[in-house]
């Protein structure tokens, strides 16, 4: 972190030293709706401060990486998209659904970069390119809620703190999407997969609240709740102009009515009756980053520089149906203490194995199995630590921080942090890990 952000963080912590300090208890003073509290029930006791110039410079590199990922079929495969997706291990069935709405140009910039700060620079671990982004409601809500706490507002004014307005940027992006089909003020439907509202309903409603605070009319439901009148989708009796897609491909493929549920949505998008935001997640496959790393010399000098600034060394380990790559496995066995293993098509930390956290036999088994199913290996980046003061006890502790940088067509649009106390695994994910806490960013 910059000297400025470190100095401000130390000042905030100093303001939390006294037991009755309003800063120390700011989290408990947050004014949040019940929906938002249910969406993010486990919050870190304080926000995190980041140097805006440093963060925005990283955001510009993220835009470059996004553009390069979208150019991979042309740059590395002579424009042959089938060769590109097969090299990522994407089979015909998945590809048919992933690319049904994919035009000649890559989808609009929209995604979440998962990032570590290694002590000197931000490093990109994964780039979730597509619409089903977790955390944006928290990123768009918490900074404003913190600034309604008088002690935080006073501190922010004294130190010149601001924030990136994710809610405003997302609202603008969805309005612009609606304009492409002639919808002046679009109705946005946040659409889950079958049964998804049972698990994620409170989070989707929190996103709707965020958008409604930015004057966007929203409806929330499952894909099976959509009704089609002359091809136009309706939800809860209201026409739908833009679908913010939260139905995942894997969950759809597991449903017996997959094609029947998806086909009318596809047709409505193709006929200009609705905009599916975004139309594909094919570029979210983790293997795309391995391609950038392995074939970095195929890019122009400025592009190579951006890749090398933000992307750790990573390589594809294998793809479905392929036999083990003995040479690559041997290399990974030698570098076990330096590498992390990741399945290319999973999310939320599923299947991730940290080399130093397992024994040699488990590491070898993981590599050999992964070489047949689609996976990559990536050089480990050590996360920075954020100091936290417990509001109840005053005890200080250090937490590993996983940063999230949210991107919209306007560029870097917001950020947050997921954090976990040291001592267990360094895989920081909300799935089945009750120790993870979340917070927002203030810029300085």
């Amino acid at each position: 972190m910059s000297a400025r952000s470190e100095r401000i963080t130390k000042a905030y912590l100093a303001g939390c030293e006294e037991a009755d300090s309003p800063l120390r208890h700011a989290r408990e003073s947050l004014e949040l709706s019940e929906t938002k509290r249910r969406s993010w029930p486990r919050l870190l006791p304080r926000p995190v401060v980041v140097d805006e110039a440093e963060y925005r410079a990283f955001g510009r590199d993220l835009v470059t990486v996004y553009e390069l990922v979208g150019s991979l079929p042309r740059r590395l495969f002579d424009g042959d998209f089938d060769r590109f997706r097969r090299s990522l291990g994407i089979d015909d069935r998945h590809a048919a659904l992933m690319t049904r709405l994919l035009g000649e140009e890559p989808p609009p910039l929209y995604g979440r970069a998962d990032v570590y700060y290694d002590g000197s620079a931000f490093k990109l671990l994964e780039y979730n390119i597509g619409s089903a982004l977790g955390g944006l409601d928290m990123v768009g809500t918490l900074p404003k809620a913190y600034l309604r706490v008088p002690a935080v507002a006073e501190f922010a004014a004294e130190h010149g703190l601001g924030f990136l307005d994710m809610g405003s940027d997302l609202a603008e992006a969805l309005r612009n999407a609606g304009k492409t089909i002639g919808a002046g003020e679009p109705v946005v439907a946040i659409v889950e997969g079958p049964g998804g509202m049972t698990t994620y309903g409170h989070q989707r409603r929190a996103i709707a609240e965020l958008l409604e605070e930015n004057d966007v009319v929203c409806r929330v439901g499952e894909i099976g709740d959509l009704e089609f009148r002359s091809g136009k989708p309706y939800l809860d009796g209201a026409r739908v102009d833009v679908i913010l897609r939260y139905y995942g491909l894997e969950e759809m493929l597991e449903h017996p009515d997959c094609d029947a549920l998806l086909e009318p949505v596809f047709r409505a998008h193709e006929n200009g009756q609705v905009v599916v935001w975004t139309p594909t997640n094919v570029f979210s496959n983790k293997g795309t980053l391995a391609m950038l790393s392995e074939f970095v010399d195929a890019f122009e000098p400025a592009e190579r520089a951006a890749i090398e600034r933000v992307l750790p060394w990573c390589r594809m380990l294998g793809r479905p149906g392929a036999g083990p790559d003995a040479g690559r496995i041997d290399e990974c066995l030698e570098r076990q203490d330096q590498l992390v293993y990741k399945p290319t098509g999973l999310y939320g930390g599923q299947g991730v194995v940290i080399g130093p956290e397992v024994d040699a036999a488990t590491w070898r088994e993981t590599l050999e199995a992964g070489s047949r199913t689609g996976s990559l290996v990536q050089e480990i980046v050590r996360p920075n630590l954020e100091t936290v003061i417990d509001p109840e006890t005053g005890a200080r502790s250090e937490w590993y921080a996983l940063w999230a940088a949210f991107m919209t067509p306007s560029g870097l649009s917001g950020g947050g942090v997921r954090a976990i106390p040291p001592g267990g695994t360094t895989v920081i994910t909300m799935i089945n890990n009750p120790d993870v806490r979340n917070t927002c960013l203030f810029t300085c």
Side-chain angles (χ1 to χ4, degrees), residues 312-362:
W313 178 96
C314 53
R315 294 291 185 271
M316 288 287 287
L317 184 61
R319 57 185 184 271
D325 182 337
R328 181 59 50 77
I329 288 176
D330 287 344
E331 177 186 7
C332 294
L333 289 173
E334 293 178 5
R335 299 184 62 193
Q336 178 178 349
D337 288 345
Q338 305 168 21
L339 300 177
V340 54
Y341 162 92
K342 300 178 179 181
T344 55
L346 300 181
Y347 61 91
Q350 297 178 83
V352 172
V353 177
I354 311 294
E357 295 181 4
V358 297
D359 59 46
T362 301

Side-chain angles (χ1 to χ4, degrees), residues 45-378:
R46 69 168 177 88
V48 170
V49 178
V50 63
D51 186 290
E52 183 168 359
E54 182 179 18
Y55 197 45
R56 286 195 181 277
F58 176 65
R60 290 190 290 273
D61 280 340
L62 289 179
V63 173
T64 298
V65 169
Y66 168 83
E67 292 171 347
L68 294 178
V69 167
S71 76
L72 286 173
R74 173 174 54 84
R75 298 282 192 102
L76 301 183
F77 298 92
D78 299 320
D80 188 333
F81 194 88
D82 278 342
R83 282 177 53 210
F84 165 69
R85 59 92 173 170
R86 284 197 298 268
S87 73
L88 294 171
I90 299 174
D91 61 35
D92 293 348
R93 174 63 166 152
H94 283 74
L97 298 178
M98 282 181 165
T99 62
R100 171 70 181 270
L101 302 181
L102 180 64
E104 294 184 0
E105 297 297 323
L109 173 58
Y110 188 62
R112 188 194 72 228
D114 290 343
V115 178
Y116 278 160
Y117 190 84
D118 69 356
S120 61
F122 290 106
K123 296 296 182 181
L124 174 62
L125 307 180
E126 298 179 9
Y127 211 156
N128 303 280
I129 297 173
S131 58
L133 303 181
L136 67 88
D137 49 322
M138 182 259 301
V139 165
T141 294
L142 279 186
K144 293 179 181 179
Y146 265 112
L147 290 176
R148 289 193 293 268
V149 178
V152 178
E154 181 179 347
F155 183 91
E158 178 183 354
H159 294 277
L161 300 187
F163 64 94
L164 304 182
D165 195 349
M166 180 69 194
S168 175
D169 287 348
L170 178 57
E172 180 183 10
L174 296 176
R175 283 196 185 95
N176 288 336
K179 289 176 183 177
T180 65
I181 61 168
E185 284 296 328
V187 175
V188 175
I190 301 169
V191 180
E192 260 291 347
M197 290 298 290
T198 300
T199 304
Y200 301 109
H202 49 292
Q203 293 178 4
R204 306 302 169 248
R205 294 185 187 97
I207 297 172
E209 282 191 8
L210 174 66
L211 289 171
E212 286 165 353
E213 289 164 5
N214 287 274
D215 301 319
V216 175
V217 178
C218 285
R219 297 291 185 270
V220 183
E222 297 179 0
I223 190 169
D225 298 329
L226 293 173
E227 299 178 4
F228 291 84
R229 304 174 190 174
S230 301
K232 177 77 172 177
Y234 285 72
L235 184 59
D236 292 338
R239 77 173 200 281
V240 173
D241 302 304
V242 178
I243 290 176
L244 182 54
R245 176 178 56 85
Y246 271 86
Y247 45 88
L249 180 56
E250 295 302 328
E251 64 183 323
M252 293 305 301
L253 286 170
E254 291 174 359
H255 196 277
D257 297 326
C258 171
D259 293 317
L261 289 169
L262 288 174
E263 185 59 30
V265 176
F266 287 149
R267 288 200 304 269
H269 180 97
E270 291 166 339
N271 293 335
Q273 294 173 295
V274 77
V275 176
V276 177
W277 182 271
T278 58
T280 183
N281 63 349
V282 67
F283 295 106
S284 193
N285 185 289
K286 295 182 181 69
T288 58
L289 298 185
M291 288 180 181
L292 292 184
S293 177
E294 184 166 1
F295 301 107
V296 65
D297 291 338
F299 302 99
E300 298 298 322
E303 296 168 338
R304 288 201 302 271
I307 294 170
E308 290 168 351
R309 275 194 298 270
V310 304
L311 190 62
W313 178 96
C314 53
R315 294 291 185 271
M316 288 287 287
L317 184 61
R319 57 185 184 271
D325 182 337
R328 181 59 50 77
I329 288 176
D330 287 344
E331 177 186 7
C332 294
L333 289 173
E334 293 178 5
R335 299 184 62 193
Q336 178 178 349
D337 288 345
Q338 305 168 21
L339 300 177
V340 54
Y341 162 92
K342 300 178 179 181
T344 55
L346 300 181
Y347 61 91
Q350 297 178 83
V352 172
V353 177
I354 311 294
E357 295 181 4
V358 297
D359 59 46
T362 301
W363 182 242
R364 177 185 286 277
E365 291 171 4
T366 299
L367 297 175
E368 290 179 347
S371 69
R372 298 183 179 89
T373 58
S375 59
L376 60 83
V377 285
Q378 186 178 73

